[in-house]
């Protein structure tokens, strides 16, 4: 199952906080696609995912200052 | 940092302070620059720094952070910056200057930590350097986790400058060196202090309003304009620039954060740079006390802004679920 989290327009650190919360409601193996445009999160979201042991299945820059990352729950 | 409980940024700050401290006191020793610690307005520093810390959370970044985020095209930071510049100018030379000066009388005669103990400054610098090295080594020895990053699209210098994320500790050394260079460079223009953000920010507004360039245009003004320009170039180069408008709620919170930061920094005699990076390196009570209370302020504010509203929202959701179940 893939869930989408639209946090475009949210300022840091809210995208990360939202992602952590959304992750809690997911089951193992589910994916969370996060679209965001706060620059800090390009570092903070992958770092959080890596340290929590989740897998990153996709990470791309969409346009100027906007990115999309997909995290699979461990 | 405060929310994610990430200590790396605090260690990075210690590195920048140590580098600068060693350098500046070496320059003083050689008689190249002068520094007077002055007196320590402890009450104003404590209250101001705490208020400044609250402002950081509301504005979504400290004074410097607000400047460079403004350069990345975040309209919310422009709003915060405006509140910050306005309030500092009001405190420093405007209607609130009596408030600004009201607490200045409550002080201890010496601001310098070594002078209080009647010692040379070097043992303190050595202690700071040792603690920093210990913490950094401990941090670097931790097992590394692989952190996935965006696939590189550029090569060579272009990749290094605009794409690759620099290790915070490397950046910290560079920041320390910049802060160190700021002393002789600004001294050359007749300005006897290190890096600063608050006074220059206020100076811009004071200059624009009064037109008195001799009094208000100085090294610091060009420094903060440089931060703005530099972050714009960096963001544009790394494709991270875009005008981004906040919603009404964020705009209001940015504006009030800016006002609190301007008010707090004026009272405390410095912001996270002036006190947290420079006055700490100068081994003054003002720097370290201010740093402590700034961190306390951000903790208090993040509890009320982030942690509590979310906890109560969760509680409500739980109650709702049990009633509908």
């Amino acid at each position: 199952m893939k869930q989408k989290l639209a946090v475009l327009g949210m300022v840091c650190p809210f995208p990360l906080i939202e992602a952590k919360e959304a992750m809690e409601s997911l089951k193992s193996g589910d994916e969370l696609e996060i679209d965001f445009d706060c620059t800090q999160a390009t570092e903070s979201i992958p770092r959080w995912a890596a340290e929590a042991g989740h897998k990153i299945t996709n990470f791309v820059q969409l346009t100027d200052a906007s990115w999309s990352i997909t995290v699979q729950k461990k | 940092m405060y929310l994610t409980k990430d200590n790396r940024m605090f260690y990075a700050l210690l590195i920048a302070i140590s580098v600068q401290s060693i350098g500046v006191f070496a320059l003083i020793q050689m008689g190249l620059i002068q520094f007077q610690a002055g007196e320590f307005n402890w009450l104003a520093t404590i209250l101001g720094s705490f208020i400044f810390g609250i402002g950081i959370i509301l504005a979504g970044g400290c004074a410097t952070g607000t400047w460079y985020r403004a350069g990345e095209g975040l309209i919310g930071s422009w709003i915060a910056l405006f509140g910050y510049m306005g309030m500092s100018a009001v405190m420093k030379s405007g209607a609130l200057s009596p408030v600004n000066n009201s607490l200045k009388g409550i002080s201890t005669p010496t601001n310098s930590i070594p002078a209080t103990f009647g010692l040379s400054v070097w043992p303190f610098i050595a202690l700071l350097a040792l603690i920093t090295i210990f913490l950094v080594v401990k941090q670097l020895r931790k097992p590394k986790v692989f952190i996935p990053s965006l696939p590189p699209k550029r090569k060579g210098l272009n990749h290094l400058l605009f794409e690759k994320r620099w290790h915070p500790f490397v950046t910290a050394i560079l920041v320390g060196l910049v802060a160190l260079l700021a002393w002789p460079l600004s001294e050359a223009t007749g300005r006897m202090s290190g890096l600063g953000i608050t006074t220059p920010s206020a100076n811009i507004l004071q200059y624009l309003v009064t037109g008195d360039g001799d009094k208000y245009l100085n090294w610091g003004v060009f420094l903060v304009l440089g931060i703005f320009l530099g972050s714009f170039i960096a963001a544009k180069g790394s494709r991270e620039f875009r005008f981004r408008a906040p919603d009404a709620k964020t705009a209001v919170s940015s504006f009030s954060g800016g006002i609190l930061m301007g008010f707090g920094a004026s009272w405390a005699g410095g912001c996270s740079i002036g006190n947290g990076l420079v006055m700490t390196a100068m081994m003054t009570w003002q720097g370290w006390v201010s740093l402590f209370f700034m961190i306390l302020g951000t903790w208090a504010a993040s509890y009320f802004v982030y942690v509590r509203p979310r906890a109560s929202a969760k509680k409500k959701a739980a109650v709702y679920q049990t009633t509908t179940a």
Side-chain angles (χ1 to χ4, degrees):
Chain A
M1 198 189 87
K2 195 168 188 172
Q3 199 182 323
K4 221 175 153 127
L5 185 67
V7 285
L8 281 170
M10 271 193 200
V11 287
C12 302
F14 285 111
L16 177 62
I17 299 177
E18 294 281 338
K20 278 184 183 168
E21 250 169 47
M23 204 55 148
E24 278 174 25
S25 64
L26 293 186
K27 283 198 232 38
S28 178
D30 285 355
E31 284 181 315
L32 183 67
E33 186 183 332
I34 310 157
D35 292 350
F36 61 95
D37 62 2
C38 94
T39 314
Q40 271 170 36
T42 55
E43 205 266 330
S44 62
I45 292 181
R47 170 170 287 275
W48 152 71
E51 283 174 355
H54 305 307
K55 202 174 145 200
I56 287 170
T57 50
N58 186 33
F59 188 13
V60 287
Q61 178 159 19
L62 301 171
T63 57
D64 277 10
S66 108
W67 299 265
S68 173
I69 189 167
T70 308
V71 184
Q72 187 176 39
K73 187 162 181 170
K74 73 163 173 186
Chain B
M1 162 183 167
Y2 312 104
L3 268 189
T4 47
K5 299 196 173 64
D6 195 345
N7 285 331
R8 287 178 317 138
M9 289 303 155
F10 184 69
Y11 297 160
L13 175 66
L14 286 182
I15 296 177
I17 294 174
S18 306
V19 168
Q20 187 197 175
S21 194
I22 295 169
V24 172
F25 279 101
L27 289 177
I28 292 175
Q29 201 91 350
M30 290 186 274
L32 290 175
I33 53 171
Q34 286 163 14
F35 174 72
Q36 290 296 331
E39 51 189 28
F40 174 38
N41 309 304
W42 56 273
L43 189 59
T45 301
I46 290 176
L47 290 177
S49 302
F50 191 77
I51 294 171
F52 185 82
I54 297 173
I56 290 182
I57 297 295
L58 288 179
C62 63
T64 328
T66 305
W67 269 107
Y68 78 68
R69 280 188 175 193
E72 286 180 343
L74 274 96
I75 312 286
S77 294
W78 296 20
I79 297 172
L81 199 56
F82 188 74
Y84 179 65
M85 285 161 82
M87 197 59 189
S88 335
V90 167
M91 284 288 275
K92 281 172 195 292
S93 62
L96 287 183
S97 42
V99 179
N100 192 24
N101 293 325
S102 62
L103 294 180
K104 294 266 148 95
I106 306 165
S107 61
T108 59
T110 178
N111 194 358
S112 151
I113 298 175
T116 307
F117 296 103
L119 290 168
S120 148
V121 72
W122 292 105
F124 292 92
I125 296 177
L127 183 70
L128 172 68
L130 280 177
I131 294 175
T132 307
I133 292 169
F134 172 76
L135 290 171
V136 166
V137 169
K138 209 177 103 185
Q139 174 71 28
L140 291 179
R141 277 207 186 138
K142 273 189 195 162
K144 283 207 177 78
V145 281
F146 172 72
I147 294 164
S149 58
L150 287 165
K153 285 180 228 143
R154 304 165 189 213
K155 278 185 187 142
L157 194 62
N158 204 352
H159 169 72
L160 195 68
L161 280 181
F162 288 122
E163 213 167 48
K164 192 177 183 317
R165 188 186 137 82
W166 294 357
H167 192 283
F169 292 173
V170 176
T171 314
I173 295 174
L174 293 177
V175 170
L177 290 175
V178 169
L180 166 60
L181 270 176
W183 284 92
L185 286 181
S186 68
E187 200 113 335
T189 64
R191 179 179 167 274
M192 298 282 213
S193 48
L195 225 49
I197 304 294
T198 312
T199 311
S201 303
N203 284 160
I204 292 179
L205 202 65
Q206 287 164 326
Y207 166 68
L208 289 176
V209 174
T210 63
D212 189 347
D214 289 342
K215 197 170 167 193
Y216 294 122
L217 279 187
N218 54 41
W219 191 86
V221 168
F222 293 103
L223 173 85
V224 289
L225 292 177
I227 296 176
F228 180 76
L229 201 66
S231 77
F232 170 72
I233 293 170
K236 199 77 190 158
S238 1
R239 291 185 61 219
E240 284 170 2
F241 180 87
R242 188 159 50 85
F243 285 115
R244 280 159 278 182
D247 56 30
K249 195 170 152 265
T250 315
V252 170
S253 121
S254 297
F255 187 61
S256 29
I259 287 184
L260 286 179
M261 286 202 295
F263 187 86
S266 303
W267 246 0
C271 59
S272 37
I273 295 295
N275 273 344
L277 178 65
V278 178
M279 289 307 266
T280 44
M282 302 316 291
M283 293 291 157
T284 58
W285 292 110
Q286 183 185 326
W288 291 99
V289 169
S290 169
L291 183 59
F292 179 77
F293 280 94
M294 252 184 252
I295 293 176
L296 222 56
T298 53
W299 277 347
S302 32
Y303 176 76
F304 285 106
V305 174
Y306 299 132
V307 184
R308 226 175 64 151
R310 280 172 185 273
S312 65
K314 257 189 202 158
K315 215 184 258 171
K316 257 183 220 148
V319 170
Y320 181 73
Q321 272 177 356
T322 46
T323 47
T324 49

